[in-house]
Amino acid sequence: MKLLNYTTKYFAAILLFALLLFTVIFYFQMLDEIYDSLDDGLENQKILVINRAKKDPSVFNKTSFKDGYYTIHPTTYSEIKNVKDSYRDTLMYMLNEKDYEPVRLLESAFRQDGKYYKLKVITSMVEEDDLIEDLLYSILWLYIGLVAGVLFLNNWVLKRLWRPFYSLLNNLKNFNIEKEQSIELENTNIEEFKLLNLQVEKLLQKSIDSFKAQKQFIENASHELQTPLAISINKLELLAEKEELSSNNMTLLASVLENLERMTRLNHALLLLSKIDNKQFVEEENLNIVQLVTQIANDFSDFANHKNIEISISSDDTIQKYMNKDLAIILFTNLIKNAIIHTSLNSIITIKIHNQKVSIENESETSKLDDQQLFSRFYKVNPHKSSTGLGLAISKAIADKYELELIYIYDRYHIFIVNFQ
């Protein structure tokens, strides 16, 4: 959810609560004012009736509300000595409405010519249910209008104010440190956005500098390590060609050569992992994965035949993926080579391409592998002199780089699956 909509959601909820609270308070205050006004009117009507009774004796004949808005009934002093003016709500049948409607009633008493009379005066009042309904509709339309106003404010005024922020987000989203590009920051008069742009610019510059330094270190390390290793191997190979070496010395020399070559492979693998982690493989193209896997399997056919292993490929799908071709080759080379090395002699390695997945199955004398450690660096199932323990770790790093799922399953066969979905 966007920031503007997020704030609008909370503002709408707070506004609704505030309006409901205001409506309740306003309703009771309005009723209080209405009752005060009605009671003042009834008080005035009472005074008018009493004054008229002093001049017109026919007023005392009004004993029913059918004759008007008041009634007068004779009474005794004992009945009214404690009577005070009282107001209450009641219902009365209205001829015009043909129904009972709420009225306000004043009950009082007065004395005239030595006689005592009980007086009742009525007046029509507002129906509370109609009042509540009208008030709720008014508040509802007010709430809708306020929310619409807030949405307009957010999408027109505030959106323009937040434009530098969204521009910065878009630039950061498209930023690629591998290309060592800078981002264009939008000019703004808002102090907070100026500060944000300044800090982001400093942070990106530090990241670019660190990336350059790390990239330079990897390149230097590759050169500084590979050169002496290559020289040492070449000199040892020249030494091995001399006939005067004894068999024991030749054995020792072969052991040294083997360890140096292993160290060379290890150096290559570690540098490759570093380059993958630092995203130094920028060039990408749309690869035909089926064709690529088939070509790699064919390249390994001689190696597999040497161990009496057959590689079977079946495909009923087409997989296209934008990725670096070298990394794609390394990914499937490691998986297929791993299957050949660890599979049983005189067996079959099955490669299936189906439902946007590439699965590589092989038999092996080993049981299920530890899938928690399988893709860790330097993890080895069967220690092998030529193995660096980095092949599967490199494959996992490549899969993660392109958001591919690399899965290991054991079901009598060891199965590695690359999911392109």
Side-chain angles (χ1 to χ4, degrees):
M1 180 179 291
K2 289 189 176 181
L3 178 62
L4 294 179
N5 295 331
Y6 192 80
T7 55
T8 301
K9 179 182 71 172
Y10 281 100
F11 182 81
I14 294 172
L15 182 62
L16 178 61
F17 175 78
L19 282 178
L20 289 176
L21 182 63
F22 166 79
T23 301
V24 173
I25 296 173
F26 178 75
Y27 172 73
F28 285 107
Q29 287 184 336
M30 186 169 59
L31 276 184
D32 185 63
E33 290 296 326
I34 291 173
Y35 280 120
D36 284 344
S37 178
L38 291 175
D39 293 347
D40 290 341
L42 289 172
E43 178 70 20
N44 183 64
Q45 292 294 335
K46 180 194 79 171
I47 295 172
L48 291 175
V49 170
I50 293 175
N51 290 337
R52 190 185 306 167
K54 293 177 181 179
K55 299 176 182 179
D56 185 5
S58 64
V59 171
F60 294 101
N61 297 327
K62 302 281 187 173
T63 58
S64 173
F65 285 114
K66 295 180 181 179
D67 300 327
Y69 61 90
Y70 64 91
T71 62
I72 298 178
H73 295 277
T75 185
T76 60
Y77 174 75
S78 60
E79 291 181 355
I80 65 169
K81 62 180 180 179
N82 296 322
V83 171
K84 295 181 180 180
D85 288 358
S86 63
Y87 300 88
R88 61 186 175 88
D89 296 333
T90 185
L91 294 175
M92 181 172 291
Y93 188 81
M94 298 292 181
L95 293 176
N96 61 329
E97 297 288 342
K98 295 182 181 180
D99 196 5
Y100 285 93
E101 298 291 336
V103 295
R104 188 71 169 168
L105 173 67
L106 166 62
E107 290 185 332
S108 183
F110 66 96
R111 177 185 175 187
Q112 185 169 321
D113 299 332
K115 296 180 179 179
Y116 297 93
Y117 300 92
K118 185 180 289 186
L119 173 64
K120 294 181 179 180
V121 183
I122 62 168
T123 185
S124 297
M125 63 177 296
V126 179
E127 297 185 35
E128 288 192 32
D129 54 347
D130 292 339
L131 179 63
I132 292 173
E133 183 179 355
D134 292 340
L135 184 59
L136 285 178
Y137 276 116
S138 299
I139 295 298
L140 178 62
W141 284 112
L142 175 62
Y143 176 73
I144 293 174
L146 288 174
V147 172
V150 170
L151 289 174
F152 172 76
L153 180 68
N154 281 348
N155 288 279
W156 190 69
V157 179
L158 294 182
K159 198 169 185 179
R160 294 181 61 189
L161 294 177
W162 281 87
R163 187 169 60 189
F165 175 76
Y166 287 111
S167 175
L168 176 62
L169 284 183
N170 186 61
N171 286 330
L172 289 175
K173 183 174 65 175
N174 296 324
F175 177 73
N176 189 344
I177 195 170
E178 295 90 353
K179 297 180 180 179
E180 300 180 9
Q181 61 185 16
S182 59
I183 63 173
E184 296 182 3
L185 302 175
E186 186 172 333
N187 293 326
T188 175
N189 296 323
I190 301 175
E191 192 64 31
E192 288 80 3
F193 289 154
K194 284 184 178 180
L195 181 60
L196 178 63
N197 287 343
L198 179 62
Q199 296 303 319
V200 168
E201 191 172 22
K202 289 181 179 179
L203 181 62
L204 288 178
Q205 190 59 48
K206 285 183 179 180
S207 299
I208 291 172
D209 292 341
S210 298
F211 176 77
K212 287 181 178 178
Q214 193 171 31
K215 183 178 178 182
Q216 187 65 40
F217 169 78
I218 292 172
E219 291 174 354
N220 292 340
S222 176
H223 175 74
E224 294 299 328
L225 287 173
Q226 290 299 118
T227 301
L229 285 173
I231 294 173
S232 299
I233 291 173
N234 288 335
K235 287 187 176 182
L236 288 174
E237 287 176 346
L238 290 174
L239 183 60
E241 292 177 0
K242 295 184 177 180
E243 299 179 356
E244 61 267 19
L245 291 177
S246 65
S247 60
N248 289 336
N249 289 335
M250 286 294 293
T251 302
L252 291 173
L253 190 60
S255 177
V256 173
L257 280 170
E258 185 176 352
N259 281 283
L260 285 175
E261 289 173 352
R262 180 176 178 276
M263 189 174 179
T264 302
R265 291 193 298 272
L266 182 62
N267 182 53
H268 275 300
L270 288 173
L271 290 173
L272 177 61
L273 272 173
S274 297
K275 289 182 178 181
I276 294 172
D277 291 340
N278 289 289
K279 301 179 180 179
Q280 291 181 226
F281 293 89
V282 181
E283 296 79 10
E284 295 178 356
E285 58 184 286
N286 191 17
L287 298 178
N288 186 326
I289 301 300
V290 178
Q291 183 178 345
L292 184 73
V293 172
T294 303
Q295 181 61 47
I296 295 172
N298 291 334
D299 292 340
F300 274 107
S301 59
D302 291 338
F303 180 40
N305 291 334
H306 181 70
K307 297 183 64 177
N308 292 326
I309 296 172
E310 179 185 349
I311 300 178
S312 172
I313 301 179
S314 62
S315 173
D316 59 2
D317 200 358
T318 300
I319 302 177
Q320 300 287 135
K321 180 69 176 178
Y322 273 95
M323 58 190 302
N324 182 272
K325 186 174 182 179
D326 293 332
L327 292 183
I329 292 173
I330 293 171
L331 169 63
F332 290 105
T333 296
N334 285 346
L335 294 177
I336 296 175
K337 182 179 179 181
N338 183 73
I340 295 173
I341 291 174
H342 297 288
T343 195
S344 304
L345 296 177
N346 304 313
S347 61
I348 299 177
I349 294 175
T350 304
I351 301 175
K352 297 179 182 178
I353 302 173
H354 172 69
N355 196 24
Q356 295 295 296
K357 296 176 184 177
V358 178
S359 65
I360 302 170
E361 306 177 9
N362 69 279
E363 296 183 46
S364 178
E365 296 177 357
T366 59
S367 58
K368 181 181 179 181
L369 305 178
D370 184 359
D371 48 10
Q372 299 297 322
Q373 300 290 330
L374 184 59
F375 298 108
S376 302
R377 298 182 183 184
F378 303 109
Y379 173 77
K380 297 181 182 180
V381 181
N382 295 319
H384 195 280
K385 290 183 179 180
S386 63
S387 174
T388 62
L390 294 172
L392 290 178
I394 292 172
S395 296
K396 186 69 169 67
I398 297 171
D400 291 343
K401 172 179 171 62
Y402 293 103
E403 298 180 352
L404 305 176
E405 190 177 13
L406 180 56
I407 310 168
Y408 166 72
I409 300 174
Y410 180 76
D411 183 15
R412 293 187 305 154
Y413 293 89
H414 297 282
I415 307 172
F416 286 89
I417 300 175
V418 182
N419 188 358
F420 284 83
Q421 288 181 330

